[in-house]
Structure formats: structure tokens, C-alpha cells
């Protein structure tokens, strides 16, 4: 029986790690795996997600597998005149592949997919019940606004496919303790406890942020984590470290908001986690009505 699994979460929460693990497990079980990606482009090309999937399939170079539909190539993309015909051809093709070998299809970062790709995903997902195929989809919840095409398609994809939705949550303190213990087995218990609390305070349960924070602490010479002859030791945690890759992720998220939104949010970030609207209005020099509009916009983008 086929099915769809939708894996959502914020940037760095572990969606790609789970998808890669799924692919590895599927390959070891003898399943055919095909992966398609979406990319952070200003304007995604029509059916870009499926063209990327088709490229991965073409690299399998297996003569026993059915050929790709002609329309699912960049050379014939301009020849698409009927969306219904394309949907039918792609679905028939995938079903033919699944009759030869069980298939795992992984579609990554569909929050960047074009509307045509999402329509095709919905069509394929609704026709899997009698097919030996799993379609696993990943997306960032912090990229979905109420106007986003995937925001509107997600309920229909889940309902029509009777699929499974998994929302990944942040790591809690004992998860971070496991992470630190595995990484620094030789560290003294007191130092390890301090390090776990530091990571919990500054990474706030995000696995990517946590790992990058630990890596940055290892690279510092004046403080952080040092490797001695007798093992790992804690040199000092007196400063807040912002890893470069984490800074890039944050910058990319806030860059699209515009300066009129970024400025007040930056002031709010300096004030702290709990911000009085009166204090923010006084410091930013803006009326409360404008600040409420900015806050609504930030909530829409999962930033406040």
C-alpha cells in the first residue's frame, strides 16, 4: 500500500537528516529511491520540482526501468498544453516503476515549489493506495504564510491521500544532554552539565543551531571547548557565540521582510524575549498601530 508522509519543521530542525536516513534505509532494503529538490529562487520554473526528480531518475541508468515521460524533460517542457495529460502521464509512469520495484520518492523543500509542481504532487499523492510507493515530502513551516501556495494545498494533499503529517519539534534538555554526551564522552560531568545548559539557552532546541554552536566553541582558542591529552574540557562560556552558518540562516529569513520591519524587530530582539509594546514604541519612535502591523507581519513569518 502506498502512502504520503509530510515532514514539516523550522529551518535546522532535522527534516533533511530524516529524509537522508529514509533514503539510506530504503536503499538497504532494496527499494528504488528517487529524490527531487526545490531551491530558493526568486521565481521557480514550472514543474521545477519534478524536473529535478526526473534528472535523478535519469541518472539511475537502469534499462529495466520504464523511460521518463517525454514531457518531463526540459527539452519538451514548452510542449505541455494539457495539465491533465501531464498529470496522467507522470502518474502512469510512477505506477509502472512501482510495479517493477517498490519506490521511495523524496521531495525536499516543497515550500519553494512552484504552483504547477504542487498541483502535480496533489494529483500523484491521491493515487497511491494500491501502489508500492512512499512519497516523503519535507517543508519549512517558517516559510509558509497564509498566501503561500503550499499552505493552501497541504490540507488537500493530506486529506485526499489519507497521508501522515509529522511536525518535528525542538530538542528538549535531555536530548541535548544525549548530544553532548555522545560528542564529548571524556568531559567532566560538571563541565558537561554547564555546556548542556549553555546550548539549551542559546540554541533553543534547534539541532542545527546546537551542532553549529558546539563546533564554533571547539574552534575558539581563548574560550569554549578544548581537547586536551586527557580528553575534552570546558575552557569557558563567558561569551555568546553566533556560528557563521546560523547567522546566514537568520539573515536569509529576515532579509525578505524589508527595513521597515527589520528595524523594529531588531530593537525588540535587543530588549529581550518579552517586550512591552509601550517600551518598544518609545524606543523605536513609532506609534503602536504601526508596531501592531509589524508584529502581525512577523507572526505571519514565524519570527515573533
Amino acid at each position: 500500500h502506498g502512502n504520503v508522509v509530510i515532514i514539516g519543521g523550522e529551518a535546522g530542525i532535522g527534516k533533511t537528516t530524516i529524509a537522508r536516513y529514509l533514503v539510506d534505509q530504503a536503499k538497504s532494503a532494496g527499494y528504488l529511491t528517487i529524490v527531487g529538490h526545490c531551491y530558493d529562487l526568486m521565481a521557480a520554473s514550472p514543474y521545477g520540482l519534478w524536473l529535478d526528480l526526473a534528472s535523478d531518475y535519469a541518472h539511475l541508468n537502469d534499462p529495466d526501468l520504464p523511460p521518463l515521460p517525454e514531457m518531463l524533460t526540459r527539452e519538451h517542457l514548452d510542449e505541455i498544453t494539457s495539465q491533465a495529460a501531464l498529470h496522467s502521464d507522470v502518474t502512469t509512469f510512477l505506477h509502472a516503476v512501482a510495479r517493477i520495484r517498490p519506490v521511495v520518492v523524496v521531495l525536499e523543500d516543497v515550500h519553494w515549489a512552484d504552483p504547477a509542481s504542487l498541483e502535480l504532487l496533489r494529483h500523484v499523492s491521491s493515487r497511491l493506495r494500491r501502489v508500492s510507493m512512499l512519497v516523503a515530502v519535507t517543508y519549512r513551516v517558517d516559510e509558509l504564510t497564509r498566501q503561500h501556495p503550499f499552505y493552501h494545498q497541504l490540507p488537500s494533499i493530506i486529506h485526499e491521500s489519507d497521508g501522515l503529517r509529522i511536525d518535528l519539534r525542538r530538542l528538549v534538555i535531555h536530548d541535548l544532554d544525549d548530544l553532548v554526551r555522545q560528542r564529548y564522552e571524556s568531559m567532566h560531568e560538571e563541565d558537561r552539565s554547564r555546556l548542556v545548559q549553555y546550548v539549551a539557552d542559546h540554541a533553543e532546541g534547534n539541532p542545527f543551531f546546537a551542532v553549529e554552536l558546539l563546533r564554533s566553541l571547539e574552534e575558539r582558542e581563548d574560550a569554549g571547548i578544548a581537547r586536551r591529552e586527557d580528553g575534552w574540557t570546558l575552557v569557558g562560556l563567558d561569551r555568546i557565540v553566533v556560528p557563521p552558518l546560523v547567522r546566514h540562516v537568520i539573515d536569509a529569513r529576515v532579509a525578505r521582510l524589508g527595513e521597515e520591519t527589520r528595524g523594529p524587530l531588531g530593537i525588540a530582539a535587543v530588549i529581550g524575549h518579552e517586550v512591552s509594546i509601550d517600551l518598544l514604541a518609545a524606543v523605536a519612535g513609532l506609534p503602536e498601530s504601526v508596531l501592531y502591523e509589524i508584529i502581525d507581519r512577523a507572526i505571519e513569518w514565524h519570527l515573533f
Side-chain angles (χ1 to χ4, degrees):
H1 299 283
N3 210 335
V4 178
V5 178
I6 310 288
I7 304 170
E10 64 181 310
I13 204 67
K15 303 178 298 298
T16 296
T17 300
I18 288 179
R20 289 174 179 170
Y21 180 77
L22 172 61
V23 168
D24 290 342
Q25 292 295 303
K27 286 182 177 179
S28 66
Y31 295 176
L32 182 70
T33 61
I34 324 171
V35 181
H37 298 87
C38 295
Y39 301 97
D40 186 9
L41 304 174
M42 291 300 293
S45 61
Y47 300 104
L49 171 61
W50 295 92
L51 292 174
D52 195 76
L53 185 80
S55 176
D56 190 53
Y57 180 82
H59 283 101
L60 295 175
N61 198 25
D62 188 338
D64 295 329
L65 295 175
L68 283 165
E70 281 192 0
M71 286 191 291
L72 206 58
T73 63
R74 296 189 185 275
E75 292 78 8
H76 296 84
L77 195 60
D78 294 337
E79 299 176 12
I80 297 176
T81 58
S82 170
Q83 187 181 58
L86 175 64
H87 288 185
S88 177
D89 286 352
V90 172
T91 303
T92 299
F93 158 72
L94 290 173
H95 288 195
V97 175
R99 283 194 292 271
I100 297 173
R101 287 170 63 188
V103 183
V104 171
V105 174
V106 176
L107 303 174
E108 286 244 54
D109 295 328
V110 298
H111 52 275
W112 287 324
D114 60 284
S117 287
L118 296 175
E119 290 283 355
L120 180 50
L121 170 60
R122 178 177 172 181
H123 182 88
V124 169
S125 300
S126 66
R127 290 158 173 81
L128 291 178
R129 291 193 178 114
R130 294 179 177 85
V131 184
S132 299
M133 180 183 301
L134 173 68
V135 176
V137 176
T138 71
Y139 75 99
R140 289 186 188 175
V141 297
D142 45 344
E143 293 280 350
L144 294 194
T145 64
R146 287 189 291 270
Q147 292 75 38
H148 197 287
F150 189 61
Y151 179 88
H152 297 286
Q153 291 283 11
L154 180 57
S156 298
I157 292 173
I158 294 293
H159 173 71
E160 294 169 8
S161 67
D162 195 24
L164 173 66
R165 179 176 178 178
I166 300 174
D167 295 314
L168 301 183
R169 305 299 183 188
R170 296 187 178 191
L171 303 180
V172 295
I173 192 74
H174 73 262
D175 299 320
L176 295 172
D177 184 69
D178 288 342
L179 174 65
V180 172
R181 285 180 181 275
Q182 291 176 20
R183 197 176 180 102
Y184 311 107
E185 290 185 33
S186 58
M187 184 176 286
H188 189 273
E189 186 67 31
E190 184 177 343
D191 284 350
R192 190 158 52 217
S193 297
R194 287 181 57 208
L195 180 58
V196 168
Q197 191 59 55
Y198 180 89
V199 174
D201 291 341
H202 298 295
E204 297 186 345
N206 186 292
F208 172 73
F209 290 2
V211 171
E212 288 301 315
L213 180 58
L214 292 172
R215 184 178 289 117
S216 294
L217 289 171
E218 292 173 13
E219 294 172 352
R220 295 186 62 183
E221 297 181 357
D222 57 333
I225 307 167
R227 193 180 189 106
R228 311 296 192 203
E229 292 184 358
D230 57 345
W232 292 98
T233 186
L234 200 59
V235 179
L237 297 174
D238 56 329
R239 299 178 187 174
I240 297 176
V241 177
V242 182
L245 284 178
V246 173
R247 186 184 298 275
H248 292 166
V249 172
I250 296 172
D251 288 345
R253 285 189 60 194
V254 300
R256 68 194 65 186
L257 295 177
E259 184 56 38
E260 70 280 358
T261 300
R262 290 200 303 268
L265 288 183
I267 295 172
V270 172
I271 293 174
H273 280 289
E274 296 184 6
V275 183
S276 162
I277 193 69
D278 296 334
L279 176 59
L280 182 57
V283 177
L286 294 171
E288 291 188 7
S289 59
V290 174
L291 287 178
Y292 281 123
E293 291 178 5
I294 291 173
I295 291 171
D296 285 342
R297 202 174 305 136
I299 291 173
E300 178 95 356
W301 284 97
H302 306 271
L303 289 171
F304 206 93

